[in-house]
Amino acid sequence: MTTALPATTALPATTALPMPTSPAAVSPDYVPPYQNYVYAYPHKTAYRPLHPRPALTDLWSGEPQDALSLYLHVPFCEVRCGFCNLFTRVGAPDELTTRYLDALERQAESVRDALSPSARFSTAAFGGGTPTYLTARELERLCDIAESMGADLRAVPLSVEASPSTATADRLAVLAERGATRLSLGVQSFDDTEARAAVRPQRRADVEAALQRVRDAAIDVLNIDLIYGIDGQTPESWAASLDAALAWRPEELYLYPLYVRPLTGLARRGGGPDPEWDAHRLDLYRRGRDHLLAAGYVQESMRMFRRGDAPDLGPNDYACQTDGMIGLGCGARSYTRSLHYSFDYAVGVNEVRAIIDDYVAGTVDDFRRAVVGHAMTEDEARRRHLLQSVLQKSGMPVTDYRSRFGSDPHEHFGVELRRWSERGWLDSDGDLLRLTKLGMAYSDALGPELFSPRVRAAMAEYEGR
């Protein structure tokens, strides 16, 4: 059994990653380790308005639908954190949540009509925003909408995001009863001073109380999100947050590097990435990684760590590289083989509110067509497959790539793969392409190097708003 380390335990100093200690030490070939978190490809800033707008029935005709993923987006939070550039708004006046759920029902009807009657969902998730911003009664309705799509929430993995202040007993009871198997709590730091520095007003006592409520709800998997690189954070305070999290023996822990992005609260206060900060974050990442490994956790990706004895949630035959996704809600994405699509994207307060207002005014017919998106060429599909495979600890079997695309990945990405190997980022072990320990640390540099020229150009042209 894994036991948590005492809260006073210091993080061990282990084999260091190569990193500069000051701007003067940076060589001309310095590679910044924190460039872009590639959790989906292409990035939403590469999406553009679609003219004409394609009908969903055409997009999904002929698509494999035997192992789909269902994602419902709730774009509301009680507060916007200083680092957040997600599509969300603070508060929901004038019964906006009710009107939003009404629109979500209309969209679900339109999408359901475009799918095959035999469409099957293998996994489901509620994200945001903060899904638990909704009341317990509204969460019941959200689950009803998901099940109206044909998803059996009690039979497939269901992940839900929450914040400490909204993880109330009545909401958690609804989620547990409706089949939630994973609850992800955005803690970020157990240090009240660090939380304030990240523009996330919360008290540790409230966080601990929320964690107790999650454990009382008996949801199979508790995930705790933590952030490193917060202003004022030290190796000692990072150790304290890690140990505070480990005391709850979470089945999963996600360790996120702090990014300062345009239009966020931290960006308005100035500052941004630099070699010294890169070095600090890499050091905290290394310490956190080694601390969790020593505590019995297994690293699944740069960010994700799973407790070695965590329960198996059962079979899940969804493969993000090949299977489609249905996204409901104005911030959700949907994936077919030919098109990734969504609604408009923004971060600024007024723009987000306008997009939500347009969404809640949408009719069933309005939702029958895709609005913005990015066409997926064969080249883009190859890049996405490689990225979403190699950024995971398990790596990418070359035979899987060859079976799907009819050739070896070195034929398409020989330059990139050689570069990664020369930097010590990549191991080629027979049929398997897998990141080294160093490569895992540099995931946020490796991923962007595989962006296509077309995606790079679209992202560069995007005007933040």
Side-chain angles (χ1 to χ4, degrees):
M1 178 179 292
T2 304
T3 56
L5 299 173
T8 56
T9 302
L11 294 178
T14 57
T15 304
L17 297 169
M19 52 186 153
T21 57
S22 69
V26 179
S27 64
D29 59 351
Y30 170 64
V31 179
Y34 301 106
Q35 298 179 32
N36 203 312
Y37 173 24
V38 185
Y39 60 91
Y41 179 81
H43 192 273
K44 207 170 181 181
T45 54
Y47 290 18
R48 291 295 182 270
L50 300 170
H51 302 294
R53 294 181 177 180
L56 300 189
T57 50
D58 294 335
L59 290 176
W60 285 98
S61 177
E63 285 288 308
Q65 299 179 33
D66 58 334
L68 296 172
S69 177
L70 179 64
Y71 178 81
L72 274 65
H73 179 254
V74 179
F76 307 111
C77 290
E78 70 275 19
V79 65
R80 180 184 280 275
C81 302
F83 51 82
C84 177
N85 72 334
L86 298 178
F87 181 88
T88 189
R89 66 163 290 168
V90 176
D94 303 323
E95 298 186 340
L96 182 55
T97 54
T98 298
R99 292 186 286 124
Y100 184 82
L101 290 170
D102 291 343
L104 204 62
E105 282 188 342
R106 295 192 294 273
Q107 187 191 5
E109 178 183 345
S110 301
V111 176
R112 190 170 59 248
D113 290 345
L115 298 178
S116 165
S118 61
R120 172 180 166 270
F121 291 93
S122 293
T123 182
F126 301 158
T130 309
T132 49
Y133 180 89
L134 300 178
T135 65
R137 184 181 296 274
E138 288 171 332
L139 285 172
E140 287 274 16
R141 189 176 174 195
L142 188 71
C143 293
D144 290 342
I145 294 170
E147 293 193 337
S148 77
M149 294 296 299
D152 186 348
L153 298 183
R154 293 181 178 86
V156 303
L158 170 61
S159 178
V160 183
E161 298 173 2
S163 67
S165 63
T166 61
T168 58
D170 58 339
R171 292 176 170 103
L172 294 171
V174 168
L175 295 174
E177 195 278 328
R178 296 300 294 263
T181 53
R182 178 179 182 271
L183 194 290
S184 181
L185 199 69
V187 173
Q188 319 315 350
S189 176
F190 283 86
D191 185 297
D192 291 355
T193 301
E194 289 178 5
R196 288 194 297 271
V199 195
R200 185 180 178 84
Q202 64 185 27
R203 297 186 308 154
R204 176 169 176 173
D206 296 331
V207 171
E208 301 276 4
L211 286 164
Q212 185 61 61
R213 291 193 295 271
V214 176
R215 283 311 195 195
D216 290 343
I219 294 172
D220 291 335
V221 172
L222 164 64
N223 172 70
I224 297 176
D225 288 346
L226 296 176
I227 286 181
Y228 54 92
I230 299 171
D231 186 36
Q233 192 175 52
T234 65
E236 292 73 25
S237 67
W238 180 226
S241 270
L242 287 166
D243 285 326
L246 287 171
W248 292 96
R249 300 192 73 247
E251 285 71 25
E252 294 178 4
L253 272 160
Y254 271 70
L255 307 185
Y256 288 93
L258 179 66
Y259 275 88
V260 174
R261 297 180 174 98
L263 302 177
T264 63
L266 292 182
R268 289 195 294 271
R269 296 184 178 191
D274 60 41
E276 284 193 54
W277 193 35
D278 287 348
H280 178 58
R281 285 181 290 176
L282 274 175
D283 181 53
L284 294 178
Y285 161 80
R286 170 179 55 83
R287 291 171 181 269
R289 175 201 65 198
D290 294 348
H291 200 51
L292 294 187
L293 294 179
Y297 283 72
V298 177
Q299 185 171 19
E300 301 293 346
S301 68
M302 173 185 164
R303 289 165 171 76
M304 180 187 175
F305 295 79
R306 176 179 286 275
R307 207 181 72 213
D309 61 350
D312 183 357
L313 296 182
N316 175 14
D317 54 0
Y318 177 77
C320 63
Q321 298 93 332
T322 56
D323 292 319
M325 172 178 280
I326 295 292
L328 300 179
C330 59
R333 313 173 196 223
S334 296
Y335 304 148
T336 69
R337 289 176 297 183
S338 62
L339 183 73
H340 288 192
Y341 64 93
S342 183
F343 296 93
D344 204 358
Y345 167 74
V347 177
V349 173
N350 293 332
E351 289 78 5
V352 168
R353 290 180 177 179
I355 293 169
I356 294 175
D357 288 344
D358 286 344
Y359 177 83
V360 299
T363 66
V364 172
D365 284 341
D366 291 333
F367 291 131
R368 295 192 189 279
R369 294 181 177 273
V371 180
V372 300
H374 185 90
M376 294 298 291
T377 64
E378 184 77 358
D379 174 62
E380 300 287 28
R382 290 193 294 257
R383 293 173 185 274
R384 181 172 182 261
H385 186 104
L386 179 56
L387 277 175
Q388 295 195 311
S389 300
V390 80
L391 292 178
Q392 303 300 312
K393 177 195 174 186
S394 55
M396 187 189 76
V398 173
T399 51
D400 286 357
Y401 185 97
R402 189 182 296 118
S403 174
R404 182 178 179 190
F405 299 109
S407 55
D408 191 283
H410 291 85
E411 296 179 33
H412 298 136
F413 305 110
V415 172
E416 291 86 354
L417 295 176
R418 282 192 298 273
R419 183 191 305 135
W420 297 344
S421 295
E422 289 167 359
R423 290 174 177 166
W425 292 359
L426 186 69
D427 272 340
S428 297
D429 182 12
D431 178 59
L432 190 64
L433 297 180
R434 185 179 352 209
L435 294 184
T436 63
K437 182 181 289 188
L438 180 62
M440 190 72 75
Y442 275 76
S443 291
D444 285 8
L446 181 151
E449 291 193 0
L450 211 60
F451 291 3
S452 71
R454 177 168 161 253
V455 165
R456 288 180 182 276
M459 291 175 67
E461 293 168 359
Y462 177 81
E463 294 184 6
R465 56 193 184 89

